[in-house]
Structure formats: C-alpha cells, structure tokens
Amino acid sequence: MLRVLAVDDEVPALSELAFLLRQDARVEHVSTATDGGAALHDMVQMIADGERLDGVFLDVRMPGLDGLDLARLIGGFPEPPRLVFVSAHDCAVQAFELEAVDYLLKPVRPERLAEAVRRLSAAVSPPGAEEDLETIPVELGGRTKFVARQDVCYAEAHGDYVRLHTADAAYLVRMSLAALERRWAGAGFVRAHRSTLVNARHVSELRFDAGRVVLQVGGETVPVSRRHTRQVREQLVRQFRP
C-alpha cells in the first residue's frame, strides 16, 4: 500500500488528483500541499516523525519553489520518495533527467493515473518480493527464533527496541519502529499511534471507547491516536474492500 503526497498550486486540480488517488485500492494515504515550500516542510516533518512516504505527485509549474527545483531537493534526501510529475506541458526530458517514475499531462485521466500508480507501486515494491514469507530473527536465551511477519499482530516501540506481539507471545527486537515500518512498507501494517504499528490483517474491530478510537487486534485492545485515525480507517476500508 502506497503513501503519497500530491502537490499543486491550483486547488481544484489538486482536489481532483487527491480524490482520484484515494479511490485507488493500492493507495493507503494521500497528503496534499499547495506549493513547493509547504510540500518541502511537510516532507521534512514526515522524516522527523518516522513516517513513510513512497511517492510525490508533483506539479511542474508553481510560483516560488517550482516542481523541478523541489524534485532536485528531494533527490538529496537519504531515502527519497519516487516522483511522478503532473503538468499541462510535456516534461518527458526533465522527468527522465530527474529519474521520475512517470509524468502525467493535465487534465489527468483516471486510467492514465492508474497506470502511474502501477508504475509507482512496481518501483517501490519490485516484482518477486515474497512478502508473506518474510521472517524476523529474535534472540531468545542463546537461540534464534524466526518469527513470521504475517504472525505479528502489532508492534510497540520500547526505546531502542520494538516489541512484536503475536497471538501467543511477545518478542523484543533491537530496531526502531520507524525502521520496521519502512521495512514492512506495503505489507498491510499501519501506524495507529506514534509508538504502535498494527497489522491490518489481525484487526477484527474498530470502535469508540470513552471518546477515543480503539482497535481489537487479536485478544488485545490497541488505542488509535487522533492524528492517525483517518489513515487507519482508510487502510482498513481498503484492506477489506471486496
């Protein structure tokens, strides 16, 4: 599942692009920005918060920091998101030079956008990845146990460690929650709280409890922060959409 940022100074065009992206089952979350400066600020904040960003749908001609300049700045990030340019003018040469996944001509057609999302998804998660077979090694008193990712119900941050919760046990792994989220990107895990990552496959219920949203994950109740409520609901709707 993809997490993307759409950037365009034309509000109607931005709203339409965001709407179409949110209709795609491969897209988990869509953020928006109306200029290059705001987009750069949002991306820096995402990095600071350990949030994943897979792609940026970027208008080329904007006042101030335009799309091409912003793309060059993004290229300097430690783990830059993939780029999809959106323009009323042919920008194939610039897109090639900046290693963009695709470029779209305005007005954006739904079927052409779907193809761009397919290319972005392929670039982020190359074909052949055996997601459900991935395991993570856990040290247990001199022996190593391999825990299957699909068996992890949720993960909690504990300082420099992450505690992995399965149906019958919990295991400590030395890594950050942000690193685990990046590693398991697109595998159905969603951030429910700044300290909690939940496997949507194990969520059986979402409900309000004393004014807060909580998830029933296996036999445990996991709270959802207000900041992450919308993305959790969107992820669960897409996860179980027929």
Side-chain angles (χ1 to χ4, degrees):
M1 300 287 283
L2 299 170
R3 295 178 59 82
V4 303
L5 172 65
V7 188
D8 197 322
D9 65 302
E10 298 177 357
V11 175
L14 178 62
S15 298
E16 177 68 11
L17 177 60
F19 172 81
L20 292 175
L21 285 168
R22 290 181 178 125
Q23 303 311 300
D24 196 310
R26 295 165 294 186
V27 179
E28 172 188 339
H29 180 73
V30 181
S31 300
T32 60
T34 55
D35 62 73
L40 183 61
H41 175 272
D42 289 349
M43 282 185 278
V44 170
Q45 189 62 52
M46 288 178 188
I47 293 173
D49 292 343
E51 295 182 8
R52 192 182 86 246
L53 180 64
D54 300 307
V56 181
F57 287 78
L58 186 56
D59 185 27
V60 173
R61 295 192 177 180
M62 295 184 291
L65 185 64
D66 70 17
L68 297 178
D69 289 335
L70 179 57
R72 294 184 183 99
L73 291 173
I74 293 172
F77 286 9
E79 296 181 18
R82 301 286 184 161
L83 300 175
V84 176
F85 285 118
V86 183
S87 176
H89 308 277
D90 192 333
C91 60
V93 173
Q94 294 95 327
F96 176 79
E97 291 175 346
L98 293 168
E99 300 181 351
V101 170
D102 203 354
Y103 76 95
L104 302 171
L105 288 175
K106 294 181 177 179
V108 176
R109 294 180 289 114
E111 61 273 21
R112 186 64 185 83
L113 178 61
E115 172 60 14
V117 171
R118 184 196 68 76
R119 294 182 184 183
L120 175 60
S121 183
V124 172
S125 301
E130 298 291 341
E131 293 185 347
D132 288 340
L133 299 181
E134 182 175 331
T135 60
I136 186 165
V138 177
E139 296 299 324
L140 294 173
R143 62 190 178 93
T144 302
K145 179 180 177 64
F146 293 92
V147 179
R149 178 172 61 187
Q150 63 185 358
D151 292 337
V152 176
C153 299
Y154 67 100
E156 289 182 292
H158 281 267
D160 294 332
Y161 290 81
V162 172
R163 187 181 298 276
L164 305 176
H165 293 264
T166 66
D168 53 8
Y171 309 94
L172 273 179
V173 179
R174 189 176 179 83
M175 66 165 36
S176 70
L177 192 68
L180 186 68
E181 183 179 22
R182 290 192 296 269
R183 176 171 173 173
W184 288 353
F189 284 77
V190 59
R191 185 71 76 106
H193 189 276
R194 65 190 303 269
S195 62
T196 312
L197 192 64
V198 173
N199 187 345
R201 297 179 183 180
H202 289 275
V203 175
S204 59
E205 184 178 279
L206 180 152
R207 67 177 184 273
F208 286 90
D209 186 2
R212 297 187 62 183
V213 175
V214 297
L215 302 175
Q216 189 66 37
V217 186
E220 300 290 332
T221 299
V222 177
V224 180
S225 69
R226 291 182 179 178
R227 177 180 181 180
H228 294 93
T229 295
R230 180 174 178 178
Q231 82 178 66
V232 168
R233 291 175 67 91
E234 290 177 351
Q235 168 76 8
L236 293 177
V237 167
R238 287 181 172 86
Q239 180 77 19
F240 299 108
R241 179 180 292 169

